[in-house]
Amino acid sequence: MSFALETAAHPEGLRRVAIDPVSRVEGHGKVTLLLDEHNHVQQARLHIVEFRGFEKFIEGRPYWEVPVMVQRLCGICPVSHHLAASKAFDRVLGATPISASAEAVRRLMHYGQMLQSHALHFFHLSSPDLLFGFDSPVAQRNIVGVAQAHPEIAKKGILLRKFGQEIIRITAGKRVHGTGAVPGGVNKLVSAEERDSLKRELPQMLAWAQDAVDIAKQLHAQNPALYNRFGSFRSNLLSIVRADGAMDLYNGVLRVRDEAGHILVDGVDDQKYLDLIEEEVRPWSYMKFPHLRSLGRELGWYRVGPLARVQNCDFIPSERAEIERQAFVDWGKGEPVHATLAYHWARMIEMLHAVEVIAELLDDPALLSGDLLTSGQRQRSGVGIIEAPRGTLIHDYDVGDNDLVTRCNLIVSTTHNNQAMNEAVRSVARDYLDGHELTEGLLNHIEVAIRAYDPCLSCATHALGQMPLDVTLLAADGTVLDRVQKSALGGVSRSINHSSDEISL
C-alpha cells in the first residue's frame, strides 16, 4: 500500500516541478511535484539527495573516538550526537549512573545546545516567513530583512543563540565539535568564574525567551485559520519522558501517544528501542522511514520534536514553561494540536524551559566539584537516547573485546519525521498548489512546511547498504560512456556507450 500522493498512478506525461534545493534548512534536500495538464498534483515527495555512511565509517574505530567523530555528522547539532554517543558508551563501560558532577555538566551542555539551536531556527530560519508572509518578496525573506524591519527581534535571536553557544564552549571546550563528554563522564568541570559569567546574563535571557514564546503565541492568535490549517494532519507522537511523566530532554523512557492523545506505549527502556521501532527503506529516498512495529508502516509512523514533546509529557518541570505548555494544550480544545506551524510555538516553549533549567543547573554545586568519571562492569553493547532539538536521537553500538566498534545504528530526529514531513508537503500541495499556476510564493509554502520541522537533512541520510544508486560516466563532449544503476533491492544493471544494450550484474 502506498500513501496518498506518494506515487502517481500514471507518471508518464506528467509535468515535473522541482524545489531544489530546499533552502534555510541544514543539509541538502529537494521536493518534486508531478502535475497533470490542469495543474492538479498527482505526486509529491521530499527527497534527500546525498548519502554519507557514518554508520560504516565508525565500524572498526576505537569506541573512545566515537563521541568526537559523530559530531561531524552535523554543524548545527553536534552536541546532541556527542552526548548520545557518550551515553551509549557509558553503558558499554558499565558507567550507569555517571557521577552527579558529570551529569550536571552534560545537562548544562545539552540545554545550552537546545537554546542555541531553537533560537537559530526560529529567529534566523523561520521568522522571515512568519513575520513577512509566505508570499512576501524573496529578497526580504531572510535574516537581513528581519534585522532591517524588526531589529529588536533579530537582536534577541542573535544574543540568545550566542548565550547558548557560550554554555557549549564552557562545558565542551569549543562552540562546535567540542570534547567535554567522554565515555563514563566528562573531562572537565565548570569553574566558579565561568558559572558567574553565565549567571550575570540569565535575567535578560529569561526575559527574551519569554518574549519569543509570546511572539509565537500571538502569531497563532492573529491568524488562527492559517495556523490551525496549514499542513495539519493527525499522527502519533513519540518522545522520551522522565519516569514520572515530566519533560526531560536528556534522559528518560520512551512514550508514544496516538493521534487522539491516548498513551499507546509508555515506559519503554531506551536499551529496548528496537522492540518498539523498525525502519523501512523506500527506493526514492536516502532517508529511512521508521514506524512502530506493533502498528506497521501505514498506521505506525509518528512525529517527534517540540510538537510531540510538549504534548507527550504530563508536565514541564519549570514554572514559566509549564504555564505556557498549559496554554498550548488549551489551544487544542481537548484534542492534540497537529498543526505543522505549531512546531514553532512548542519550540519556543522548550527554549524558555531550557533557560529555566540552565538557571537551576548554575546553582548546582556539583558543576564545580566532584568526580569526573565512573566505571563498572564492561558490556558488549550500549544504546544512548537523547531528545535533540529536532526530536528523539538514538545511537546504538556494539563493541568487540579489542575495544573496536563492530556495529553502529543511528536513528536521528529528522529520520523519525520523514513520513510526517512528506505528509506535510502533500497536505500543503493539496490545499494551496493543486489546480493553480505555480509561483515562487506558492512553492515557498512547501518549504515553510518543511522548515517547521527544523530538519537536519545531512544527519538523516543513512540508508547505506540498501540505497539505490545511479552512476553515469560522461565523456568531455557529454556522451554517456558508462552507466551503472543499483536498485533499492540490490539489483544492478549497466548500460555501456549509451547503447540500448543493457546487462545485469
Side-chain angles (χ1 to χ4, degrees):
M1 173 183 167
S2 179
F3 293 89
L5 292 185
E6 179 177 311
T7 302
H10 301 286
E12 60 280 0
L14 296 177
R15 181 163 66 97
R16 179 176 179 274
V17 175
I19 304 172
D20 185 11
V22 176
S23 62
R24 282 187 273 141
V25 298
E26 206 289 328
H28 302 284
K30 68 177 180 181
V31 172
T32 59
L33 307 171
L34 295 185
L35 309 176
D36 64 19
E37 67 273 25
H38 303 296
N39 287 324
H40 291 304
V41 179
Q42 302 297 319
Q43 177 177 298
R45 292 174 172 176
L46 168 64
H47 305 259
I48 307 305
V49 296
E50 60 182 5
F51 76 91
R52 304 177 73 188
F54 259 79
E55 288 151 320
K56 288 298 179 186
F57 299 158
I58 289 163
E59 289 181 7
R61 305 303 306 176
Y63 73 82
W64 57 81
E65 289 184 353
V66 176
V68 174
M69 287 181 66
V70 292
Q71 293 185 90
R72 269 64 185 180
L73 277 160
C74 183
I76 301 296
C77 50
V79 169
S80 303
H81 290 289
H82 184 51
L83 291 175
S86 297
K87 288 181 69 177
F89 293 113
D90 292 342
R91 293 278 182 171
V92 172
L93 293 181
T96 50
I98 58 174
S99 73
S101 291
E103 175 149 341
V105 172
R106 285 190 187 181
R107 281 185 177 270
L108 183 59
M109 188 190 310
H110 183 48
Y111 281 88
Q113 158 75 358
M114 297 297 291
L115 169 56
Q116 74 85 17
S117 181
H118 280 359
L120 171 69
H121 177 77
F122 183 73
F123 290 98
H124 293 229
L125 303 181
S126 290
S127 71
D129 299 314
L130 306 178
L131 295 174
F132 300 131
F134 306 166
D135 297 310
S136 58
V138 67
Q140 185 186 31
R141 231 187 293 134
N142 51 62
I143 186 60
V144 175
V146 174
Q148 291 173 340
H150 304 280
E152 278 304 307
I153 290 178
K155 173 186 171 184
K156 291 174 184 176
I158 291 169
L159 294 180
L160 277 164
R161 182 171 188 239
K162 180 183 177 185
F163 183 67
Q165 288 179 308
E166 181 63 6
I167 291 172
I168 294 170
R169 185 194 67 77
I170 287 173
T171 53
K174 294 192 296 182
R175 289 183 175 86
V176 179
H177 300 158
T179 59
V182 296
V186 295
N187 60 18
K188 70 183 286 287
L189 299 176
V190 174
S191 71
E193 292 75 20
E194 291 168 333
R195 177 203 59 188
D196 293 344
S197 70
L198 294 174
K199 290 187 75 168
R200 281 193 291 273
E201 294 192 61
L202 266 175
Q204 185 63 79
M205 297 303 133
L206 191 59
W208 285 348
Q210 181 68 62
D211 290 346
V213 178
D214 293 341
I215 291 171
K217 192 162 49 176
Q218 288 166 9
L219 288 168
H220 283 256
Q222 290 168 358
N223 196 348
L226 171 67
Y227 278 80
N228 288 342
R229 174 191 174 201
F230 184 84
S232 185
F233 54 87
R234 299 171 72 85
S235 73
N236 304 307
L237 306 169
L238 180 145
S239 71
I240 60 172
V241 296
R242 207 167 68 186
D244 62 356
M247 173 180 283
D248 190 331
L249 304 177
Y250 177 77
N251 210 11
V253 294
L254 288 161
R255 171 185 282 184
V256 185
R257 290 186 188 270
D258 67 13
E259 63 179 35
H262 304 128
I263 293 178
L264 279 176
V265 182
D266 200 5
V268 176
D269 188 315
D270 58 359
Q271 303 304 296
K272 298 180 178 178
Y273 79 96
L274 284 175
D275 292 344
L276 181 67
I277 297 168
E278 65 180 347
E279 300 175 272
E280 177 197 5
V281 174
R282 298 183 192 171
W284 50 270
S285 177
Y286 288 146
M287 189 158 59
K288 296 177 180 176
F289 290 80
H291 55 261
L292 304 175
R293 286 181 181 276
S294 59
L295 296 181
R297 65 189 295 272
E298 284 82 20
L299 300 176
W301 58 276
Y302 49 83
R303 281 191 276 208
V304 300
L307 187 69
R309 291 189 293 241
V310 165
Q311 301 185 93
N312 215 10
C313 68
D314 297 327
F315 64 98
I316 296 179
S318 63
E319 183 178 358
R320 293 189 182 208
E322 172 58 13
I323 292 171
E324 297 299 338
R325 186 196 70 85
Q326 292 177 15
F328 183 90
V329 171
D330 289 346
W331 184 264
K333 296 180 171 59
E335 286 283 321
V337 176
H338 288 294
T340 290
L341 291 178
Y343 261 99
H344 299 300
W345 185 358
R347 186 171 290 117
M348 292 303 94
I349 294 172
E350 286 191 345
M351 188 173 77
L352 175 60
H353 174 55
V355 178
E356 290 184 286
V357 172
I358 289 165
E360 292 175 8
L361 288 167
L362 291 178
D363 286 332
D364 187 346
L367 273 182
L368 307 183
S369 64
D371 294 332
L372 295 177
L373 297 170
T374 307
S375 62
Q377 186 173 357
R378 176 69 181 271
Q379 307 293 319
R380 286 188 169 275
S381 62
V383 175
I385 300 184
I386 200 166
E387 286 294 334
R390 294 153 186 84
T392 310
L393 171 64
I394 300 173
H395 280 226
D396 179 6
Y397 302 95
D398 289 344
V399 180
D401 292 335
N402 56 0
D403 290 346
L404 302 182
V405 174
T406 58
R407 184 189 62 84
C408 168
N409 187 42
L410 310 177
I411 307 180
V412 307
S413 318
T414 299
T415 304
H416 290 291
N417 274 334
N418 194 1
Q419 183 63 40
M421 289 191 295
N422 273 280
E423 290 298 320
V425 167
R426 288 161 197 154
S427 172
V428 172
R430 270 192 302 265
D431 291 346
Y432 294 91
L433 277 67
D434 192 73
H436 296 279
E437 192 66 34
L438 296 186
T439 63
E440 191 281 332
L442 280 177
L443 292 177
N444 185 51
H445 283 60
I446 297 262
E447 295 189 76
V448 168
I450 296 170
R451 283 187 206 110
Y453 290 83
D454 189 14
C456 190
L457 303 177
S458 61
C459 287
T461 168
H462 295 130
L464 192 65
Q466 301 176 73
M467 72 184 103
L469 284 174
D470 187 339
V471 181
T472 304
L473 177 64
L474 300 177
D477 63 357
T479 303
V480 177
L481 299 176
D482 195 357
R483 185 180 186 190
V484 177
Q485 294 173 289
K486 183 179 124 183
S487 75
L489 299 177
V492 179
S493 62
R494 166 172 277 168
S495 302
I496 302 174
N497 293 330
H498 201 45
S499 69
S500 58
D501 296 334
E502 189 166 284
I503 58 175
S504 295
L505 303 177

Tab-separated table of all heavy atoms in Angstrom, residues 295-327:
chain	number	residue	atom	x	y	z
A	295	LEU	N	2.215	-1.405	14.911
A	295	LEU	CA	1.160	-0.856	14.043
A	295	LEU	C	1.504	-0.937	12.565
A	295	LEU	O	0.623	-0.734	11.721
A	295	LEU	CB	0.897	0.609	14.420
A	295	LEU	CG	0.342	0.868	15.825
A	295	LEU	CD1	0.099	2.353	16.047
A	295	LEU	CD2	-0.944	0.093	16.051
A	296	GLY	N	2.768	-1.185	12.226
A	296	GLY	CA	3.140	-1.294	10.824
A	296	GLY	C	3.340	0.053	10.166
A	296	GLY	O	3.107	1.110	10.760
A	297	ARG	N	3.744	0.037	8.884
A	297	ARG	CA	4.155	1.258	8.191
A	297	ARG	C	2.988	2.218	7.931
A	297	ARG	O	3.167	3.430	7.975
A	297	ARG	CB	4.842	0.910	6.866
A	297	ARG	CG	3.943	0.246	5.850
A	297	ARG	CD	4.718	-0.265	4.653
A	297	ARG	NE	5.339	0.764	3.845
A	297	ARG	CZ	4.733	1.388	2.839
A	297	ARG	NH1	3.470	1.118	2.545
A	297	ARG	NH2	5.368	2.283	2.127
A	298	GLU	N	1.791	1.715	7.664
A	298	GLU	CA	0.686	2.611	7.332
A	298	GLU	C	0.149	3.354	8.551
A	298	GLU	O	-0.211	4.527	8.451
A	298	GLU	CB	-0.463	1.840	6.669
A	298	GLU	CG	-0.226	1.465	5.228
A	298	GLU	CD	0.616	0.202	5.114
A	298	GLU	OE1	0.677	-0.546	6.120
A	298	GLU	OE2	1.208	-0.045	4.060
A	299	LEU	N	0.094	2.689	9.693
A	299	LEU	CA	-0.500	3.292	10.891
A	299	LEU	C	0.524	3.645	11.955
A	299	LEU	O	0.206	4.376	12.896
A	299	LEU	CB	-1.534	2.331	11.507
A	299	LEU	CG	-2.713	1.932	10.618
A	299	LEU	CD1	-3.599	0.909	11.329
A	299	LEU	CD2	-3.533	3.166	10.237
A	300	GLY	N	1.749	3.142	11.812
A	300	GLY	CA	2.716	3.267	12.901
A	300	GLY	C	3.672	4.436	12.812
A	300	GLY	O	4.513	4.609	13.689
A	301	TRP	N	3.575	5.268	11.769
A	301	TRP	CA	4.504	6.402	11.696
A	301	TRP	C	4.078	7.466	12.702
A	301	TRP	O	2.943	7.502	13.164
A	301	TRP	CB	4.587	6.962	10.269
A	301	TRP	CG	3.287	7.428	9.693
A	301	TRP	CD1	2.350	6.658	9.084
A	301	TRP	CD2	2.772	8.760	9.700
A	301	TRP	NE1	1.283	7.430	8.697
A	301	TRP	CE2	1.525	8.722	9.058
A	301	TRP	CE3	3.250	9.981	10.165
A	301	TRP	CZ2	0.742	9.864	8.887
A	301	TRP	CZ3	2.479	11.123	9.994
A	301	TRP	CH2	1.246	11.049	9.357
A	302	TYR	N	4.996	8.360	13.012
A	302	TYR	CA	4.781	9.273	14.130
A	302	TYR	C	5.598	10.543	13.908
A	302	TYR	O	6.437	10.620	13.007
A	302	TYR	CB	5.206	8.609	15.447
A	302	TYR	CG	6.581	7.988	15.377
A	302	TYR	CD1	7.725	8.748	15.574
A	302	TYR	CD2	6.734	6.627	15.076
A	302	TYR	CE1	8.978	8.184	15.488
A	302	TYR	CE2	7.994	6.057	14.982
A	302	TYR	CZ	9.113	6.842	15.195
A	302	TYR	OH	10.359	6.288	15.093
A	303	ARG	N	5.337	11.532	14.754
A	303	ARG	CA	6.136	12.750	14.760
A	303	ARG	C	6.955	12.815	16.050
A	303	ARG	O	6.515	12.328	17.100
A	303	ARG	CB	5.239	13.999	14.659
A	303	ARG	CG	4.784	14.262	13.256
A	303	ARG	CD	4.132	15.625	13.114
A	303	ARG	NE	2.731	15.587	13.490
A	303	ARG	CZ	1.818	16.416	12.994
A	303	ARG	NH1	2.159	17.337	12.121
A	303	ARG	NH2	0.569	16.339	13.373
A	304	VAL	N	8.144	13.432	15.954
A	304	VAL	CA	8.987	13.716	17.112
A	304	VAL	C	9.297	15.207	17.130
A	304	VAL	O	8.919	15.944	16.223
A	304	VAL	CB	10.291	12.897	17.066
A	304	VAL	CG1	10.013	11.396	17.054
A	304	VAL	CG2	11.146	13.290	15.848
A	305	GLY	N	10.007	15.642	18.138
A	305	GLY	CA	10.405	17.041	18.223
A	305	GLY	C	9.512	17.840	19.144
A	305	GLY	O	8.700	17.276	19.897
A	306	PRO	N	9.621	19.172	19.113
A	306	PRO	CA	8.900	20.000	20.080
A	306	PRO	C	7.392	19.757	20.112
A	306	PRO	O	6.793	19.694	21.188
A	306	PRO	CB	9.220	21.426	19.604
A	306	PRO	CG	10.546	21.306	18.918
A	306	PRO	CD	10.536	19.961	18.260
A	307	LEU	N	6.751	19.630	18.935
A	307	LEU	CA	5.293	19.432	18.914
A	307	LEU	C	4.915	18.146	19.651
A	307	LEU	O	3.906	18.110	20.372
A	307	LEU	CB	4.794	19.364	17.472
A	307	LEU	CG	3.281	19.320	17.297
A	307	LEU	CD1	2.648	20.649	17.690
A	307	LEU	CD2	2.896	18.970	15.857
A	308	ALA	N	5.705	17.097	19.484
A	308	ALA	CA	5.436	15.833	20.177
A	308	ALA	C	5.780	15.937	21.654
A	308	ALA	O	4.999	15.511	22.523
A	308	ALA	CB	6.241	14.703	19.517
A	309	ARG	N	6.927	16.509	21.968
A	309	ARG	CA	7.403	16.509	23.363
A	309	ARG	C	6.498	17.323	24.284
A	309	ARG	O	6.209	16.894	25.410
A	309	ARG	CB	8.834	17.059	23.413
A	309	ARG	CG	9.857	16.135	22.784
A	309	ARG	CD	11.279	16.605	23.040
A	309	ARG	NE	11.627	17.851	22.402
A	309	ARG	CZ	12.603	17.984	21.499
A	309	ARG	NH1	13.307	16.923	21.123
A	309	ARG	NH2	12.889	19.164	20.991
A	310	VAL	N	6.081	18.508	23.810
A	310	VAL	CA	5.269	19.375	24.662
A	310	VAL	C	3.926	18.719	24.980
A	310	VAL	O	3.339	18.959	26.048
A	310	VAL	CB	5.078	20.751	23.973
A	310	VAL	CG1	3.966	21.553	24.614
A	310	VAL	CG2	6.388	21.535	24.023
A	311	GLN	N	3.438	17.858	24.075
A	311	GLN	CA	2.144	17.211	24.307
A	311	GLN	C	2.273	15.793	24.839
A	311	GLN	O	1.307	15.230	25.367
A	311	GLN	CB	1.352	17.190	22.991
A	311	GLN	CG	1.109	18.593	22.437
A	311	GLN	CD	0.236	18.602	21.214
A	311	GLN	OE1	-0.975	18.762	21.319
A	311	GLN	NE2	0.829	18.419	20.044
A	312	ASN	N	3.455	15.203	24.710
A	312	ASN	CA	3.635	13.839	25.175
A	312	ASN	C	3.897	13.782	26.677
A	312	ASN	O	3.528	12.816	27.351
A	312	ASN	CB	4.811	13.191	24.424
A	312	ASN	CG	4.596	11.719	24.161
A	312	ASN	OD1	3.503	11.198	24.366
A	312	ASN	ND2	5.629	11.049	23.713
A	313	CYS	N	4.532	14.819	27.214
A	313	CYS	CA	4.804	14.833	28.653
A	313	CYS	C	3.524	15.173	29.416
A	313	CYS	O	2.576	15.722	28.862
A	313	CYS	CB	5.910	15.844	28.966
A	313	CYS	SG	5.437	17.572	28.713
A	314	ASP	N	3.538	14.850	30.718
A	314	ASP	CA	2.401	15.215	31.572
A	314	ASP	C	2.544	16.633	32.112
A	314	ASP	O	1.551	17.288	32.435
A	314	ASP	CB	2.293	14.231	32.739
A	314	ASP	CG	2.001	12.814	32.255
A	314	ASP	OD1	1.308	12.667	31.228
A	314	ASP	OD2	2.482	11.855	32.893
A	315	PHE	N	3.788	17.073	32.243
A	315	PHE	CA	4.044	18.445	32.702
A	315	PHE	C	5.492	18.794	32.409
A	315	PHE	O	6.324	17.914	32.172
A	315	PHE	CB	3.749	18.599	34.201
A	315	PHE	CG	4.645	17.776	35.093
A	315	PHE	CD1	5.765	18.336	35.708
A	315	PHE	CD2	4.379	16.422	35.333
A	315	PHE	CE1	6.584	17.583	36.525
A	315	PHE	CE2	5.196	15.659	36.165
A	315	PHE	CZ	6.301	16.243	36.761
A	316	ILE	N	5.767	20.094	32.389
A	316	ILE	CA	7.142	20.577	32.242
A	316	ILE	C	7.621	21.022	33.624
A	316	ILE	O	6.970	21.861	34.258
A	316	ILE	CB	7.224	21.744	31.236
A	316	ILE	CG1	6.816	21.264	29.834
A	316	ILE	CG2	8.647	22.302	31.189
A	316	ILE	CD1	6.851	22.364	28.771
A	317	PRO	N	8.726	20.490	34.096
A	317	PRO	CA	9.158	20.777	35.474
A	317	PRO	C	9.894	22.110	35.614
A	317	PRO	O	10.972	22.162	36.215
A	317	PRO	CB	10.059	19.584	35.793
A	317	PRO	CG	10.648	19.201	34.483
A	317	PRO	CD	9.592	19.472	33.454
A	318	SER	N	9.349	23.167	35.055
A	318	SER	CA	9.848	24.521	35.309
A	318	SER	C	8.650	25.446	35.181
A	318	SER	O	7.776	25.253	34.323
A	318	SER	CB	10.968	24.913	34.336
A	318	SER	OG	10.510	24.942	33.008
A	319	GLU	N	8.599	26.461	36.054
A	319	GLU	CA	7.365	27.213	36.285
A	319	GLU	C	6.823	27.916	35.033
A	319	GLU	O	5.668	27.734	34.655
A	319	GLU	CB	7.612	28.232	37.397
A	319	GLU	CG	6.365	29.014	37.776
A	319	GLU	CD	6.636	29.989	38.909
A	319	GLU	OE1	7.779	30.010	39.408
A	319	GLU	OE2	5.705	30.741	39.270
A	320	ARG	N	7.664	28.727	34.414
A	320	ARG	CA	7.163	29.522	33.292
A	320	ARG	C	6.788	28.650	32.096
A	320	ARG	O	5.769	28.872	31.439
A	320	ARG	CB	8.225	30.540	32.874
A	320	ARG	CG	8.509	31.621	33.895
A	320	ARG	CD	9.402	32.683	33.298
A	320	ARG	NE	9.731	33.721	34.268
A	320	ARG	CZ	10.014	34.972	33.943
A	320	ARG	NH1	10.014	35.338	32.669
A	320	ARG	NH2	10.318	35.870	34.864
A	321	ALA	N	7.643	27.692	31.781
A	321	ALA	CA	7.368	26.833	30.623
A	321	ALA	C	6.107	25.998	30.846
A	321	ALA	O	5.355	25.739	29.897
A	321	ALA	CB	8.563	25.940	30.343
A	322	GLU	N	5.862	25.586	32.080
A	322	GLU	CA	4.659	24.799	32.350
A	322	GLU	C	3.394	25.648	32.151
A	322	GLU	O	2.391	25.166	31.604
A	322	GLU	CB	4.703	24.226	33.768
A	322	GLU	CG	3.420	23.545	34.234
A	322	GLU	CD	2.951	22.388	33.351
A	322	GLU	OE1	3.713	21.917	32.495
A	322	GLU	OE2	1.784	21.962	33.532
A	323	ILE	N	3.446	26.903	32.547
A	323	ILE	CA	2.301	27.795	32.285
A	323	ILE	C	2.049	27.896	30.777
A	323	ILE	O	0.904	27.821	30.309
A	323	ILE	CB	2.569	29.185	32.891
A	323	ILE	CG1	2.580	29.096	34.415
A	323	ILE	CG2	1.536	30.201	32.402
A	323	ILE	CD1	3.046	30.374	35.100
A	324	GLU	N	3.124	28.014	30.013
A	324	GLU	CA	2.977	28.134	28.559
A	324	GLU	C	2.534	26.807	27.935
A	324	GLU	O	1.803	26.797	26.944
A	324	GLU	CB	4.296	28.608	27.940
A	324	GLU	CG	4.734	29.991	28.393
A	324	GLU	CD	3.723	31.077	28.025
A	324	GLU	OE1	2.926	30.864	27.092
A	324	GLU	OE2	3.737	32.141	28.685
A	325	ARG	N	2.991	25.693	28.487
A	325	ARG	CA	2.529	24.380	27.968
A	325	ARG	C	1.020	24.247	28.150
A	325	ARG	O	0.310	23.769	27.259
A	325	ARG	CB	3.237	23.234	28.706
A	325	ARG	CG	2.924	21.838	28.147
A	325	ARG	CD	3.310	20.731	29.117
A	325	ARG	NE	2.443	20.713	30.287
A	325	ARG	CZ	1.261	20.095	30.352
A	325	ARG	NH1	0.828	19.403	29.307
A	325	ARG	NH2	0.523	20.146	31.443
A	326	GLN	N	0.518	24.674	29.304
A	326	GLN	CA	-0.921	24.568	29.546
A	326	GLN	C	-1.709	25.429	28.549
A	326	GLN	O	-2.763	25.018	28.058
A	326	GLN	CB	-1.227	24.967	30.980
A	326	GLN	CG	-0.680	23.968	32.009
A	326	GLN	CD	-0.933	24.408	33.441
A	326	GLN	OE1	-1.742	25.292	33.710
A	326	GLN	NE2	-0.234	23.793	34.383
A	327	ALA	N	-1.187	26.608	28.236
A	327	ALA	CA	-1.859	27.465	27.251
A	327	ALA	C	-1.844	26.800	25.871
A	327	ALA	O	-2.830	26.872	25.121
A	327	ALA	CB	-1.168	28.823	27.196
